[in-house]
Amino acid sequence: MSSTSFAVLTKARAKFGKRLTEKDYNNLLNSNSVAEVMSYLKSYTHYAEALRDVNERDVHRGRLEVLLRQHLFYEFDSLCRYDSQMSTGFSAYVISRTEIEQIMRFLTLLNTSSTEKFIYQYPTYFSKHTEIDLQKLALARNYDEFLSVLSNTKYAQIFTKYQPDENNLLPISDIENDLYTFVFSNLKKVIKSKTKGTERRELMELFTVINDYNNFSRVLRLKKYYNLSPEQIKSNLLYPFSGISEKIIDRMCSAESSGEVFSVMQETHTGKMIEQIGYVYASDISPRVKYKLARKNMYFSNNPSVVMISYMFVAETELMNIITLIEGTRYKLDSKKIQSLLIV
């Protein structure tokens, strides 16, 4: 192993070692107010520096999430600075994911004629890392202005085939699917061109299982909330990383109930993990699987790129746990209920 690879492994695992412990979560669950949650995070955890300037007695949930995401972004960026085969590819992947999050947030606001709200959670730290002019995007008020802002980006061609319908609404799900298909297709090309052996196998397995569970969750959601036909559901799934056969996908899309979707999924090798995952809601399964796989890689993988991306997935999960804790505390949920929603 090269000195660079060893450095990546060492640094990622050192960061992993600073994650919130069971004791931390218990103390946070016993907090009686959002101010107490924030005070604990600032005083006893690795978030102290990121939250240094936050007034714990006047914290805004949206502002807090931006700060925590900024902290996570720069942590991962520091790992990507090492000269490894996959650093550039993963850096591009992380940037693209953040760009898509901002694009989809804007388009969702556009569909409700409330684009003026975009600027309130506008991630200023991200501006120097993206080719999208986020300040101009914040000023856009219709789809034509949006297209103008995105015209010189790698996503421009995706948007040209879409236009608002007679009710001035955009097909949000279709656009999101095209964007993520584009990003994952590029990531798959990078993995296949830059890696080999166990490194390639571990990366492909990680993203394939995660994507299969994302598709499983998407089938459940589209059936429950959108009443789409099997063909429409199938067209809204992501295929760049997929380990489930088309026959199984067709059966899930044609299933008459959520229970039948579960049964079909559990027939697959990947789907057998459902029995090992403790979950409250079906939507919990995909993120819990991702966390389980990433945590396993942190302990057992010797491939720097696998450990690097797995650390990011673990850190993202911890961030969402913090948001869950803050929201649960704010709305006075029972601590056992909040605990059941945490992914640990």
Side-chain angles (χ1 to χ4, degrees):
M1 182 184 296
S2 69
S3 58
T4 300
S5 297
F6 182 75
V8 172
L9 284 172
T10 301
K11 188 167 186 179
R13 286 190 168 128
K15 290 178 179 294
F16 178 67
K18 295 178 181 178
R19 70 194 184 282
L20 298 183
T21 63
E22 182 179 355
K23 178 183 176 182
D24 289 325
Y25 279 117
N26 286 334
N27 286 331
L28 290 165
L29 285 164
N30 288 327
S31 299
N32 295 312
S33 66
V34 173
E36 286 186 19
V37 172
M38 293 301 300
S39 179
Y40 186 88
L41 290 172
K42 288 177 68 174
S43 301
Y44 301 107
T45 75
H46 65 98
Y47 293 102
E49 179 63 24
L51 301 175
R52 181 184 58 189
D53 298 325
V54 175
N55 181 349
E56 56 262 40
R57 300 195 177 280
D58 187 31
V59 63
H60 183 273
R61 191 263 196 199
R63 171 63 178 157
L64 173 64
E65 186 168 352
V66 168
L67 284 173
L68 292 175
R69 288 194 178 280
Q70 175 179 320
H71 171 70
L72 176 59
F73 181 87
Y74 283 124
E75 277 212 326
F76 192 69
D77 182 61
S78 72
L79 291 175
C80 286
R81 290 175 191 169
Y82 287 90
D83 185 22
S84 69
Q85 287 287 320
M86 281 299 298
S87 290
T88 302
F90 279 151
S91 180
Y93 164 68
V94 172
I95 288 171
S96 292
R97 281 201 337 170
T98 308
E99 287 173 337
I100 291 174
E101 287 169 4
Q102 295 307 310
I103 289 169
M104 296 313 302
R105 193 165 70 83
F106 178 86
L107 292 178
T108 300
L109 291 170
L110 182 61
N111 262 7
T112 57
S113 301
S114 49
T115 54
E116 71 281 354
K117 295 179 181 178
F118 180 79
I119 200 167
Y120 296 141
Q121 290 187 39
Y122 157 52
T124 54
Y125 72 89
F126 186 59
S127 295
K128 61 183 179 182
H129 301 281
T130 175
E131 62 180 336
I132 300 173
D133 190 328
L134 293 174
Q135 288 185 324
K136 286 186 177 179
L137 182 60
L139 296 174
R141 291 295 177 264
N142 56 54
Y143 192 60
D144 286 338
E145 291 178 4
F146 166 82
L147 291 178
S148 178
V149 174
L150 275 291
S151 62
N152 293 318
T153 71
K154 57 182 173 287
Y155 308 111
Q157 192 170 358
I158 293 173
F159 298 113
T160 56
K161 66 178 182 180
Y162 293 106
Q163 284 294 327
D165 63 16
E166 63 276 8
N167 296 315
N168 208 32
L169 297 177
L170 289 159
I172 295 294
S173 182
D174 292 346
I175 294 174
E176 183 180 39
N177 193 68
D178 280 356
L179 288 169
Y180 278 114
T181 295
F182 173 76
V183 169
F184 281 120
S185 295
N186 287 339
L187 178 62
K188 187 173 183 178
K189 290 176 185 176
V190 172
I191 291 174
K192 289 196 169 184
S193 65
K194 298 289 186 181
T195 66
K196 58 185 178 181
T198 59
E199 182 180 21
R200 179 188 293 180
R201 179 179 57 77
E202 287 181 5
L203 286 172
M204 290 297 295
E205 181 179 326
L206 176 64
F207 281 100
T208 297
V209 174
I210 289 171
N211 186 67
D212 283 342
Y213 273 96
N214 284 340
N215 279 340
F216 164 68
S217 295
R218 187 170 289 197
V219 170
L220 289 172
R221 186 174 72 251
L222 292 175
K223 279 186 171 294
K224 183 174 182 178
Y225 297 109
Y226 296 94
N227 195 31
L228 300 182
S229 68
E231 292 75 19
Q232 289 173 312
I233 293 173
K234 189 175 180 180
S235 69
N236 274 278
L237 303 182
L238 294 171
Y239 295 101
F241 292 94
S242 182
I244 298 177
S245 69
E246 186 172 1
K247 181 179 179 181
I248 293 294
I249 288 175
D250 286 340
R251 287 177 60 198
M252 284 199 289
C253 292
S254 300
E256 295 294 328
S257 66
S258 295
E260 189 178 343
V261 176
F262 267 88
S263 295
V264 174
M265 181 65 174
Q266 287 178 294
E267 290 177 14
T268 68
H269 175 72
T270 301
K272 296 188 186 305
M273 289 183 67
I274 293 175
E275 297 177 357
Q276 306 167 23
I277 303 294
Y279 62 93
V280 178
Y281 304 107
S283 57
D284 294 344
I285 296 174
S286 180
R288 287 180 186 274
V289 167
K290 180 193 287 189
Y291 177 73
K292 180 182 177 69
L293 294 173
R295 182 170 173 168
K296 177 183 176 182
N297 285 334
M298 291 304 302
Y299 285 113
F300 299 111
S301 178
N302 289 317
N303 291 300
S305 61
V306 178
V307 172
M308 188 191 301
I309 198 68
S310 294
Y311 170 72
M312 191 191 79
F313 290 154
V314 168
E316 284 180 335
T317 302
E318 185 173 275
L319 185 154
M320 295 316 299
N321 282 342
I322 291 172
I323 298 299
T324 298
L325 279 159
I326 288 173
E327 292 292 277
T329 303
R330 171 173 286 158
Y331 293 108
K332 307 297 182 185
L333 295 183
D334 181 78
S335 62
K336 289 185 178 179
K337 175 64 174 178
I338 300 173
Q339 186 175 32
S340 72
L341 299 174
L342 301 179
I343 301 175
V344 293

